[in-house]
């Protein structure tokens, strides 16, 4: 696990311990009024507050004000469920002569219901927010609940917060002057915009790659990026503020979308790492967990909301842990992208564990972790999409090479004899039909056997590869060439109309072979010998032409001074005039 992540966990643990210690000191100040001045900075209410946990959901604001409130530290998740209500009592005083307006916000986008009751002249005035209420009913529309405070200067104002949620949840409170609050909103919007730009860019790139190559992996990468973008947008309250008009779906989307996102992530990771060969059980586990995560959303139709959310939380925790495990296995196997993905999945798992323990009340609440988790998840998307694209590209190259194996020589990359004969047959038909110039050449390395016996097979193979390079220098890109023997090559040159033009090319080849090869332990040269035929002048059948050219090569001495020979036409016999007349 990366050291930076370990340092982060240590810092958070120290912060948690400091928060617990600070809570005991702050309980004495829980009921004292909070003085607000024009010079006050935005501040979270981290001290203890006066709270009352109502066992039901029927009390009015007046009844709740008279209830037995107790000083409770605000750093822990409140024990909320579907049948109780948390009441928080605050007393606020705006300093005499102060002119600034103040706001109270709860940076918790997935809060079901919260109402701010402000008492003025004996009456309670409510402001409503939360997932179970449409944004048009919120007093201040935004990513999370926020309320405007109407505080007369110099006079204490009593404020009640009514909070309901289906599961335990921390309720962080932040006081901020209205003018400075606009800057906070702008900073949050810019930060979230950068994060979502980081996610949506690979989404668009994947769609463009799919439109060009029509590969399903690119479409899967686009789906994964879009799913993560939707989940993070819901996690930060963006979809509730801008998209969902129905408060029921806005409430359930915060639980459903993370399960769908972790399911898509598991399937993408399974496809990316291709563990079925060396780790089949882990590959099967990723597949089962991925489809289970997708199917777990049906639990919200079959089970109680709190129980279904517990199932979803377990699936998310196991899925994230399996993603990290698969990444570690891939990294240990030597994947160059494993280290980058480890840097993204390790902090993600740690933050998921932290938020799980925080929801259970085992760790103090720290709402800025939501932004840190959003950033880490957003940063993991380009890394995974890039890794998926690279793996897809590498696999396509392997498939392409595998498809070419039946048609290419494994050592030299030239065509096989069977495929070359097909090219020769097609070119021969064009030469006969349209009188197109066509030359067929057999080239032999006369001293390759001597090199193999004196220097070994590795040196002979290296010389063979050097010979192929020299052959390509006298060939055009469209001219096919094949390896038809251990040291023999066949060349098909179209457009060569005369023996002189063909000889000039082959002279360059023979001369290049006499240049000593660099990198060899001793001075080594290649003795090229060539047998040629111009098929448009000497129309011999391709199979017969190759056999006759092989016979010409067999008759050339290794020490000859004429390494280039042509296949001569078979002389025709003239029929006598007398025999023709008599017949």
């Amino acid at each position: 696990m990366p050291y930076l992540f370990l340092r982060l966990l240590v810092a958070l643990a120290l912060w948690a311990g400091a928060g617990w210690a600070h809570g005991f000191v702050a309980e004495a100040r829980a009921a004292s009024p909070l003085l607000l001045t024009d010079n006050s900075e935005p501040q979270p209410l981290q001290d203890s507050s006066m709270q009352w946990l109502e066992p039901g959901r029927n009390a009015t604001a007046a009844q709740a004000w008279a209830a037995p409130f107790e000083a409770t530290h605000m750093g822990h998740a409140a024990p909320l469920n579907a049948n109780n209500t948390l009441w928080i009592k605050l007393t606020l005083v705006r300093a005499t002569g102060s002119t600034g307006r103040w706001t109270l916000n709860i940076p918790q986008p997935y809060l079901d219901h919260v109402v701010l009751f402000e008492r003025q002249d004996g009456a309670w005035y409510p402001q409503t927010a939360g997932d179970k209420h449409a944004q048009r009913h919120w007093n201040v529309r935004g990513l999370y609940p926020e309320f405007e405070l109407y505080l007369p200067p110099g006079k204490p104002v009593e404020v009640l917060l009514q909070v309901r949620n289906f599961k335990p949840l921390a309720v962080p409170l932040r006081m901020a002057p209205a003018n400075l609050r606009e800057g906070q909103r702008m900073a949050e919007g810019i930060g979230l915009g950068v994060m979502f730009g980081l996610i949506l860019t690979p989404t668009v790139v994947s769609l463009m790659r799919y439109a060009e190559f029509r590969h399903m992996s690119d479409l899967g990468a686009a789906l994964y990026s879009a799913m993560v973008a939707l989940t993070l947008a819901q996690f930060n309250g963006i979809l509730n503020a801008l998209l969902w008009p129905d408060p029921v779906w806005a409430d359930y989307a915060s639980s459903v979308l993370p399960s769908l996102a972790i399911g898509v992530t598991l399937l993408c990771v399974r496809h990316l790492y291709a563990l079925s060969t060396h780790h089949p059980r882990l590959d099967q586990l990723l597949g089962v967990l991925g489809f289970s995560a997708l199917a777990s959303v049906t639990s919200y139709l079959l089970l109680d909301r709190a129980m279904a959310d517990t199932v979803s939380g377990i699936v998310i925790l196991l899925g994230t842990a399996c993603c990290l495990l698969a990444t570690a296995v891939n990294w240990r196997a030597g994947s160059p992208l494993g280290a980058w993905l480890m840097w993204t999945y390790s902090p993600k798992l740690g933050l998921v564990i932290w938020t799980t323990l925080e929801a259970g009340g085992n760790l103090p609440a720290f709402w800025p972790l939501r932004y840190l988790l959003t950033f880490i998840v957003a940063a993991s998307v380009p890394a995974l999409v890039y890794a998926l694209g690279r793996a897809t590209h590498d696999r396509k190259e392997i498939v392409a090479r595998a498809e070419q194996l039946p048609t290419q020589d494994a050592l030299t990359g030239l065509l096989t004899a069977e495929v070359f004969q097909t090219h020769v047959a097609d070119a021969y038909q064009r030469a006969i039909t349209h009188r197109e110039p066509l030359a067929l050449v057999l080239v032999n390395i006369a001293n390759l056997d001597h090199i193999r016996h004196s220097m070994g097979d590795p040196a002979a193979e290296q010389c063979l590869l050097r010979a192929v390079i020299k052959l390509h220098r006298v060939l055009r890109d469209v001219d096919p060439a094949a390896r038809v023997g251990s040291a023999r090559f066949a060349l098909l040159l179209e457009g060569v109309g005369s023996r002189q033009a063909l000889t000039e090319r082959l002279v360059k080849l023979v001369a290049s072979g006499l240049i000593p090869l660099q990198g060899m332990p001793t001075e080594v040269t290649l003795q090229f010998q060539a047998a040629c035929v111009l098929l448009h002048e000497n129309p011999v059948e391709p199979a017969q032409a190759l056999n006759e050219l092989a016979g010409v090569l067999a008759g050339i001495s290794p020490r000859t001074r004429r390494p280039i020979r042509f296949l001569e036409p078979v002389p025709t016999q003239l029929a006598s005039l007398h025999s023709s007349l008599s017949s």
Side-chain angles (χ1 to χ4, degrees), residues 96-116:
T96 303
S98 175
T99 59
R101 296 182 298 109
W102 282 79
T103 63
L104 174 66
N105 62 80
I106 306 175
Q108 200 69 283
Y110 33 90
L111 184 61
D112 284 353
H113 166 90
V114 58
V115 179
L116 174 74

Side-chain angles (χ1 to χ4, degrees), residues 67-78:
F69 281 81
E70 296 180 354
T72 306
H73 190 257
M74 299 184 65
H76 293 277

Side-chain angles (χ1 to χ4, degrees), residues 294-488:
L294 297 177
S296 66
V297 299
T298 59
S299 62
Y300 290 93
L301 301 175
L302 305 175
L303 303 175
D304 175 71
R305 174 73 186 276
M307 180 61 67
D309 196 74
T310 301
V311 172
S312 178
I314 294 174
V315 169
I316 292 174
L317 188 60
L318 289 178
T320 307
C322 284
C323 283
L324 181 60
L325 176 61
T327 304
V329 170
N330 187 256
W331 182 27
R332 292 293 299 273
S335 171
L337 298 173
W340 291 101
L341 294 175
M342 281 291 293
W343 275 98
T344 58
Y345 280 115
S346 298
K348 187 190 302 184
L349 176 62
L351 292 177
V352 168
I353 294 175
W354 181 283
T355 54
T356 302
L357 296 176
E358 177 185 300
N362 300 302
L363 289 176
F366 186 56
W367 63 267
L369 281 182
R370 174 166 55 87
Y371 294 118
L372 182 59
L373 180 58
T374 300
F375 174 75
I376 289 175
V377 174
S380 69
V381 173
L384 187 59
V385 171
Y386 171 73
L388 187 61
R390 179 169 175 177
T392 302
H393 181 266
D394 293 343
R395 290 173 190 171
K396 289 172 68 175
E397 286 187 347
I398 293 174
V399 171
R401 288 197 298 268
E403 292 176 349
Q404 292 175 355
L405 285 178
T407 64
Q408 290 185 337
D409 178 65
L411 178 60
T412 62
L414 299 178
L415 297 176
T416 59
E418 295 78 9
V419 177
F420 181 77
Q421 288 179 355
T422 304
H423 285 275
V424 175
D426 295 338
Y428 177 76
Q429 292 298 326
R430 293 194 301 271
I432 297 300
T433 305
H434 304 290
R435 302 298 298 174
E436 295 181 0
L438 179 65
L440 180 62
V441 182
L442 277 187
V443 177
N444 187 53
I445 306 177
N447 63 333
L448 187 64
D449 289 338
H450 174 72
I451 295 174
R452 178 177 287 109
H453 293 151
S454 60
M455 303 180 64
D457 289 337
E461 291 182 355
Q462 186 176 359
C463 291
L464 196 63
L465 295 176
R466 299 286 185 89
V468 172
I469 296 175
K470 296 179 183 297
L471 284 175
H472 281 299
R473 292 175 182 173
V474 300
L475 293 173
R476 299 177 303 171
D477 293 338
V478 295
D479 293 333
R483 185 185 180 193
V484 294
S486 61
R488 183 168 296 181

Side-chain angles (χ1 to χ4, degrees), residues 23 68 111 124 126 141 162 190 194 247 325 355 413 418 504 507 533 539:
L111 184 61
W124 294 96
R141 298 187 62 169
Q162 181 192 61
I190 293 175
V194 171
L325 176 61
T355 54
E418 295 78 9
E504 289 177 357
V507 166
V533 60

